[in-house]
Amino acid sequence: MKGTALVTGSARGIGRSLAVALAGEGYAVAVHYRGSAADARETARQCEERGVRSTILQADLTDPDQARQLVREAHEAVPNSSLAVLVNNVGNYVHKPLLETTDAEWADMLASNLTATFATCQAAAPLMWEAGFGRIVNLGYAGARHLVARPGIVPYVIAKAGVLHLSHALAKVLAGTGVSVNVVSPGVIETSVSQPLREIPAGRVGTVAELVDAALYFVRASDYVTGQELEVAGGWNL
Protein backbone atom coordinates (compact mmCIF):
# COMPACT_ATOMS: atom_id res chain seq x y z
CA MET A 1 0.00 0.00 0.00
CA LYS A 2 1.35 3.40 -1.02
CA GLY A 3 -0.28 5.44 1.74
CA THR A 4 -3.59 7.21 2.15
CA ALA A 5 -5.23 9.57 -0.33
CA LEU A 6 -7.78 12.10 0.87
CA VAL A 7 -10.13 13.48 -1.77
CA THR A 8 -12.39 16.22 -0.50
CA GLY A 9 -15.97 16.08 -1.71
CA SER A 10 -15.59 12.49 -2.89
CA ALA A 11 -19.09 11.19 -2.16
CA ARG A 12 -20.10 11.59 -5.80
CA GLY A 13 -19.31 13.25 -9.11
CA ILE A 14 -15.75 14.20 -9.99
CA GLY A 15 -14.62 13.60 -6.42
CA ARG A 16 -15.81 10.00 -6.54
CA SER A 17 -14.04 9.42 -9.85
CA LEU A 18 -10.81 10.81 -8.39
CA ALA A 19 -11.11 8.66 -5.27
CA VAL A 20 -11.75 5.46 -7.21
CA ALA A 21 -8.87 6.21 -9.58
CA LEU A 22 -6.49 6.68 -6.65
CA ALA A 23 -7.70 3.39 -5.19
CA GLY A 24 -6.76 1.85 -8.52
CA GLU A 25 -3.28 3.30 -8.06
CA GLY A 26 -2.94 1.39 -4.79
CA TYR A 27 -3.71 4.13 -2.26
CA ALA A 28 -5.98 3.61 0.70
CA VAL A 29 -8.70 6.22 0.34
CA ALA A 30 -10.28 8.59 2.84
CA VAL A 31 -13.69 9.44 1.40
CA HIS A 32 -14.91 12.84 2.53
CA TYR A 33 -18.49 14.05 2.53
CA ARG A 34 -20.48 16.84 4.14
CA GLY A 35 -24.08 15.61 3.94
CA SER A 36 -24.22 12.71 1.48
CA ALA A 37 -23.42 9.77 3.72
CA ALA A 38 -25.07 7.14 1.51
CA ASP A 39 -23.16 8.35 -1.55
CA ALA A 40 -19.92 8.31 0.46
CA ARG A 41 -20.52 4.68 1.37
CA GLU A 42 -20.93 3.84 -2.31
CA THR A 43 -17.65 5.58 -3.12
CA ALA A 44 -15.93 3.63 -0.35
CA ARG A 45 -17.39 0.39 -1.71
CA GLN A 46 -16.06 1.13 -5.18
CA CYS A 47 -12.63 1.93 -3.75
CA GLU A 48 -12.53 -1.31 -1.79
CA GLU A 49 -13.38 -3.21 -4.97
CA ARG A 50 -9.94 -2.08 -6.18
CA GLY A 51 -8.35 -4.00 -3.30
CA VAL A 52 -7.57 -1.15 -0.90
CA ARG A 53 -8.91 -0.02 2.42
CA SER A 54 -11.17 2.98 2.66
CA THR A 55 -12.59 5.11 5.41
CA ILE A 56 -15.46 7.60 5.42
CA LEU A 57 -15.02 10.99 7.07
CA GLN A 58 -17.53 13.81 7.52
CA ALA A 59 -16.69 17.52 7.71
CA ASP A 60 -17.99 20.92 6.68
CA LEU A 61 -14.93 22.38 4.98
CA THR A 62 -16.24 25.93 5.07
CA ASP A 63 -15.15 25.70 8.73
CA PRO A 64 -11.32 25.82 8.72
CA ASP A 65 -11.10 23.95 12.02
CA GLN A 66 -13.13 21.07 10.59
CA ALA A 67 -10.98 21.11 7.45
CA ARG A 68 -7.79 20.74 9.47
CA GLN A 69 -9.33 18.04 11.64
CA LEU A 70 -10.37 16.14 8.52
CA VAL A 71 -6.74 15.99 7.39
CA ARG A 72 -5.60 14.73 10.78
CA GLU A 73 -8.31 12.06 10.79
CA ALA A 74 -7.38 10.92 7.29
CA HIS A 75 -3.72 10.71 8.31
CA GLU A 76 -4.60 8.44 11.23
CA ALA A 77 -7.52 6.53 9.71
CA VAL A 78 -5.77 3.55 8.16
CA PRO A 79 -3.34 1.49 10.28
CA ASN A 80 0.26 1.56 9.00
CA SER A 81 -0.61 4.21 6.43
CA SER A 82 0.06 7.95 6.50
CA LEU A 83 -1.38 10.71 4.35
CA ALA A 84 0.38 10.64 0.99
CA VAL A 85 -2.05 12.39 -1.37
CA LEU A 86 -4.44 15.30 -0.87
CA VAL A 87 -6.81 16.29 -3.66
CA ASN A 88 -8.81 19.43 -2.96
CA ASN A 89 -11.94 18.93 -5.02
CA VAL A 90 -14.51 20.76 -2.84
CA GLY A 91 -15.68 24.13 -4.08
CA ASN A 92 -19.16 25.53 -4.57
CA TYR A 93 -20.15 27.42 -7.72
CA VAL A 94 -22.75 30.13 -8.31
CA HIS A 95 -23.41 31.89 -11.60
CA LYS A 96 -25.14 35.14 -10.74
CA PRO A 97 -24.90 38.81 -11.74
CA LEU A 98 -22.32 40.58 -9.59
CA LEU A 99 -24.65 43.24 -8.21
CA GLU A 100 -27.17 40.58 -7.22
CA THR A 101 -24.65 38.40 -5.37
CA THR A 102 -25.44 38.21 -1.66
CA ASP A 103 -22.96 38.45 1.18
CA ALA A 104 -23.65 34.82 2.02
CA GLU A 105 -22.96 33.67 -1.56
CA TRP A 106 -19.76 35.70 -1.70
CA ALA A 107 -18.55 34.27 1.60
CA ASP A 108 -19.45 30.71 0.62
CA MET A 109 -17.55 30.89 -2.66
CA LEU A 110 -14.39 32.04 -0.93
CA ALA A 111 -14.80 29.69 2.03
CA SER A 112 -15.50 26.52 0.07
CA ASN A 113 -13.01 27.11 -2.75
CA LEU A 114 -10.11 29.03 -1.21
CA THR A 115 -10.19 28.95 2.58
CA ALA A 116 -10.92 25.22 2.67
CA THR A 117 -7.97 24.58 0.36
CA PHE A 118 -5.73 26.75 2.52
CA ALA A 119 -6.75 24.93 5.70
CA THR A 120 -6.34 21.40 4.36
CA CYS A 121 -2.98 22.24 2.76
CA GLN A 122 -1.77 23.89 5.93
CA ALA A 123 -2.63 20.78 7.92
CA ALA A 124 -1.31 18.28 5.37
CA ALA A 125 2.02 19.91 4.50
CA PRO A 126 3.83 19.24 7.81
CA LEU A 127 2.65 15.62 7.86
CA MET A 128 3.90 15.01 4.33
CA TRP A 129 7.14 16.91 4.94
CA GLU A 130 7.88 14.74 7.96
CA ALA A 131 7.20 11.59 5.92
CA GLY A 132 9.39 12.83 3.06
CA PHE A 133 6.66 12.30 0.47
CA GLY A 134 3.42 13.96 -0.52
CA ARG A 135 1.33 14.96 -3.49
CA ILE A 136 -1.10 17.86 -3.19
CA VAL A 137 -3.38 18.48 -6.17
CA ASN A 138 -5.74 21.45 -6.00
CA LEU A 139 -8.59 21.97 -8.44
CA GLY A 140 -8.58 25.38 -10.08
CA TYR A 141 -10.46 26.95 -12.98
CA ALA A 142 -9.25 27.30 -16.56
CA GLY A 143 -8.50 30.92 -17.24
CA ALA A 144 -8.35 32.09 -13.62
CA ARG A 145 -4.77 33.26 -14.16
CA HIS A 146 -5.96 35.77 -16.77
CA LEU A 147 -7.20 39.11 -15.46
CA VAL A 148 -10.37 39.16 -17.54
CA ALA A 149 -13.68 40.42 -16.16
CA ARG A 150 -16.24 37.65 -15.71
CA PRO A 151 -19.16 39.48 -14.04
CA GLY A 152 -21.32 36.39 -13.55
CA ILE A 153 -18.82 34.42 -11.46
CA VAL A 154 -16.69 37.05 -9.72
CA PRO A 155 -16.29 35.42 -6.28
CA TYR A 156 -15.63 32.01 -7.86
CA VAL A 157 -12.88 33.34 -10.12
CA ILE A 158 -11.33 35.34 -7.28
CA ALA A 159 -11.28 32.20 -5.13
CA LYS A 160 -9.75 30.05 -7.89
CA ALA A 161 -7.12 32.68 -8.68
CA GLY A 162 -6.30 32.55 -4.98
CA VAL A 163 -5.99 28.76 -5.14
CA LEU A 164 -3.46 29.14 -7.94
CA HIS A 165 -1.32 31.65 -6.02
CA LEU A 166 -1.60 29.62 -2.83
CA SER A 167 -0.44 26.50 -4.68
CA HIS A 168 2.53 28.30 -6.23
CA ALA A 169 3.61 29.69 -2.87
CA LEU A 170 3.22 26.36 -1.08
CA ALA A 171 5.13 24.56 -3.85
CA LYS A 172 8.03 26.96 -3.33
CA VAL A 173 7.97 26.46 0.43
CA LEU A 174 7.95 22.66 0.11
CA ALA A 175 10.37 22.29 -2.80
CA GLY A 176 13.07 19.77 -1.91
CA THR A 177 11.07 18.05 0.82
CA GLY A 178 9.57 15.32 -1.36
CA VAL A 179 6.22 17.09 -1.44
CA SER A 180 4.78 18.57 -4.64
CA VAL A 181 1.88 20.98 -5.03
CA ASN A 182 0.13 21.37 -8.37
CA VAL A 183 -3.16 22.54 -9.86
CA VAL A 184 -5.53 20.90 -12.31
CA SER A 185 -7.84 23.51 -13.84
CA PRO A 186 -10.93 22.20 -15.62
CA GLY A 187 -12.79 24.16 -18.23
CA VAL A 188 -16.20 23.00 -19.34
CA ILE A 189 -16.58 19.37 -18.29
CA GLU A 190 -19.44 16.97 -19.03
CA THR A 191 -20.77 17.61 -15.50
CA SER A 192 -20.53 21.42 -15.73
CA VAL A 193 -23.61 23.53 -15.00
CA SER A 194 -23.28 25.45 -18.28
CA GLN A 195 -21.82 24.05 -21.50
CA PRO A 196 -21.13 26.84 -24.02
CA LEU A 197 -19.90 24.65 -26.87
CA ARG A 198 -19.45 27.54 -29.30
CA GLU A 199 -16.89 29.09 -26.95
CA ILE A 200 -14.69 25.98 -26.78
CA PRO A 201 -12.06 25.79 -29.54
CA ALA A 202 -11.94 21.99 -29.29
CA GLY A 203 -15.65 21.89 -30.12
CA ARG A 204 -16.64 19.62 -27.24
CA VAL A 205 -16.79 19.45 -23.48
CA GLY A 206 -14.14 17.61 -21.51
CA THR A 207 -14.73 14.28 -19.87
CA VAL A 208 -14.33 13.44 -16.21
CA ALA A 209 -11.83 10.77 -17.26
CA GLU A 210 -9.63 13.44 -18.87
CA LEU A 211 -9.71 15.49 -15.69
CA VAL A 212 -8.85 12.46 -13.58
CA ASP A 213 -5.94 11.60 -15.87
CA ALA A 214 -4.51 15.08 -15.36
CA ALA A 215 -4.69 14.72 -11.58
CA LEU A 216 -3.07 11.30 -11.74
CA TYR A 217 -0.21 12.75 -13.76
CA PHE A 218 0.70 15.02 -10.87
CA VAL A 219 0.30 12.19 -8.36
CA ARG A 220 2.63 9.93 -10.36
CA ALA A 221 5.17 12.61 -11.28
CA SER A 222 8.33 13.23 -9.31
CA ASP A 223 8.49 16.01 -6.73
CA TYR A 224 10.51 18.00 -9.29
CA VAL A 225 7.21 18.71 -11.05
CA THR A 226 5.78 21.26 -8.65
CA GLY A 227 4.04 24.62 -8.74
CA GLN A 228 2.46 23.83 -12.09
CA GLU A 229 -1.03 24.28 -13.51
CA LEU A 230 -2.49 21.88 -16.06
CA GLU A 231 -5.63 23.10 -17.80
CA VAL A 232 -8.09 20.53 -19.06
CA ALA A 233 -10.15 22.86 -21.18
CA GLY A 234 -9.84 22.23 -24.92
CA GLY A 235 -8.43 25.73 -25.46
CA TRP A 236 -11.27 27.45 -23.60
CA ASN A 237 -10.48 30.79 -21.94
CA LEU A 238 -7.04 31.09 -23.53
Side-chain angles (χ1 to χ4, degrees):
M1 184 166 55
K2 296 181 176 180
T4 298
L6 167 62
V7 181
T8 67
S10 47
R12 55 193 175 193
I14 291 172
R16 173 182 286 175
S17 296
L18 288 162
V20 173
L22 287 165
E25 293 286 307
Y27 290 96
V29 178
V31 178
H32 161 255
Y33 76 99
R34 183 174 67 174
S36 305
D39 290 331
R41 289 192 292 271
E42 174 58 21
T43 300
R45 185 193 67 78
Q46 292 185 28
C47 290
E48 290 170 358
E49 283 184 343
R50 272 69 181 173
V52 301
R53 296 189 60 167
S54 66
T55 187
I56 301 171
L57 301 172
Q58 191 278 337
D60 179 355
L61 298 191
T62 62
D63 179 342
D65 290 336
Q66 290 191 45
R68 295 185 182 96
Q69 181 61 26
L70 172 69
V71 170
R72 290 189 289 267
E73 289 177 357
H75 181 64
E76 299 169 355
V78 179
N80 303 314
S81 177
S82 60
L83 184 66
V85 177
L86 168 64
V87 180
N88 275 302
N89 167 67
V90 160
N92 294 334
Y93 175 87
V94 170
H95 191 288
K96 192 172 185 178
L98 175 59
L99 298 182
E100 297 176 15
T101 301
T102 67
D103 291 347
E105 289 166 339
W106 179 278
D108 182 68
M109 289 300 98
L110 269 67
S112 63
N113 285 284
L114 178 55
T115 305
T117 299
F118 163 71
T120 56
C121 287
Q122 189 182 55
L127 301 174
M128 293 176 170
W129 188 338
E130 183 178 358
F133 178 87
R135 299 289 179 264
I136 297 175
V137 181
N138 297 323
L139 262 65
Y141 166 73
R145 69 184 185 278
H146 302 307
L147 294 178
V148 177
R150 296 185 173 90
I153 52 172
V154 172
Y156 181 78
V157 174
I158 288 173
K160 290 303 189 183
V163 166
L164 187 58
H165 183 72
L166 168 66
S167 301
H168 286 167
L170 188 58
K172 191 169 185 177
V173 168
L174 295 175
T177 68
V179 183
S180 67
V181 186
N182 293 289
V183 179
V184 172
S185 293
V188 183
I189 303 298
E190 57 190 327
T191 57
S192 297
V193 175
S194 61
Q195 299 189 355
L197 287 176
R198 286 182 293 182
E199 298 176 16
I200 305 171
R204 66 172 179 87
V205 299
T207 67
V208 171
E210 288 169 321
L211 184 60
V212 169
D213 283 346
L216 289 181
Y217 166 73
F218 284 133
V219 171
R220 294 168 179 157
S222 78
D223 63 310
Y224 206 65
V225 179
T226 193
Q228 301 305 303
E229 180 191 22
L230 179 52
E231 291 192 350
V232 183
W236 186 65
N237 275 351
L238 289 177

